[in-house]
Amino acid sequence: MDSKNYHEDLSHIRSMMERSSRFISLSGLSGVVAGLTAIIGVVYVYFVFQREGINYLDGDRNILGPALVKELVLIGIAILVVAVLSCYIFTAHKSKKKGLKIWDATTKRLLITFAVPLLAGGVFCLALLYHHLFVFIAPATLIFYGLALVAAERYTLTDLKYLGYLEIILGLISLFFLGWGLLFWAIGFGVLHIVYGLIMHKKYK
């Protein structure tokens, strides 16, 4: 009986230490919603190209006008906002359900660690936009996003790093298929998020 209580105490202590050092309330459903949003965004962009007389599936290197580039950037920002909001809503709900705080020292460390490579990637992509090197934007976003996920894993679920590795690998592969960024975005930000989200929801629900 004493041995059983001893193991239960150890398990409780480990759980408390994990909660204090890692943000464990990330919701898998937020990943699913983010993935679906990304795929909807990609489909919308495809029809925007069609509207402009650009057949994306031809694989041609097309010259994009300033107005179209601005519209694509705004679509990207809208997708990002929806993904972030869904992540917050589902994560806040999960935290409340588990009786955990959504904002504490661990959350701050997580966000800072995640933001550094993400902001660096954002500035890098702005430079690519400035120099009209549009074909490199998709690989860059996937690679820097993957680096951000791998870095953030230190303060949250360890499974996050595997998603990060896949995003990095996908971004590197896309460097050899310039001009197909929309397809790689659909896979990286859409399909991978949905698959990861479903796995995490089933594992940690």
Side-chain angles (χ1 to χ4, degrees):
M1 190 73 176
D2 291 337
S3 176
K4 182 180 179 181
N5 290 335
Y6 173 74
H7 287 298
E8 287 179 353
D9 289 342
L10 281 179
S11 178
H12 182 65
I13 292 170
R14 279 197 297 268
S15 177
M16 289 180 63
M17 290 178 65
E18 185 182 45
R19 290 189 179 196
S20 64
S21 62
R22 287 180 178 270
F23 184 77
I24 58 175
S25 295
L26 283 178
S27 171
L29 291 178
S30 65
V32 175
V33 173
L36 290 173
T37 303
I39 290 177
I40 292 171
V42 166
V43 172
Y44 181 77
V45 169
Y46 173 79
F47 284 109
V48 168
F49 282 147
Q50 292 286 93
R51 184 196 69 200
E52 297 296 321
I54 299 172
N55 189 350
Y56 180 79
L57 296 179
D58 283 345
D60 295 331
R61 301 277 183 90
N62 296 287
I63 298 175
L64 306 181
L68 180 56
V69 171
K70 183 178 179 180
E71 183 177 358
L72 294 177
V73 170
L74 291 175
I75 293 170
I77 292 173
I79 293 171
L80 178 63
V81 169
V82 172
V84 171
L85 283 176
S86 66
C87 181
Y88 174 79
I89 291 171
F90 282 105
T91 300
H93 177 73
K94 187 175 179 180
S95 296
K96 185 177 180 180
K97 191 175 179 181
K98 287 190 171 186
L100 301 174
K101 291 182 178 179
I102 191 172
W103 186 256
D104 56 17
T106 302
T107 310
K108 293 176 185 177
R109 289 194 293 268
L110 168 64
L111 291 178
I112 292 172
T113 305
F114 182 72
V116 171
L118 210 60
L119 289 175
V123 174
F124 184 78
C125 288
L126 285 176
L128 293 176
L129 275 173
Y130 179 78
H131 293 291
H132 303 284
L133 300 172
F134 305 126
V135 291
F136 291 103
I137 292 177
T141 51
L142 289 167
I143 291 169
F144 278 101
Y145 177 61
L147 291 172
L149 292 175
V150 173
E153 176 268 341
R154 180 181 177 186
Y155 296 109
T156 185
L157 304 175
T158 57
D159 307 85
L160 195 66
K161 66 184 176 186
Y162 300 115
L163 176 61
Y165 292 149
L166 290 174
E167 298 285 358
I168 293 170
I169 292 170
L170 191 65
L172 293 173
I173 293 173
S174 69
L175 284 169
F176 296 92
F177 297 93
L178 296 177
W180 291 96
L182 200 59
L183 177 62
F184 282 96
W185 264 341
I187 297 171
F189 295 116
V191 177
L192 288 183
H193 269 145
I194 293 172
V195 172
Y196 170 82
L198 290 173
I199 292 173
M200 290 303 98
H201 178 65
K202 183 176 180 181
K203 185 175 180 180
Y204 296 104
K205 65 179 179 179

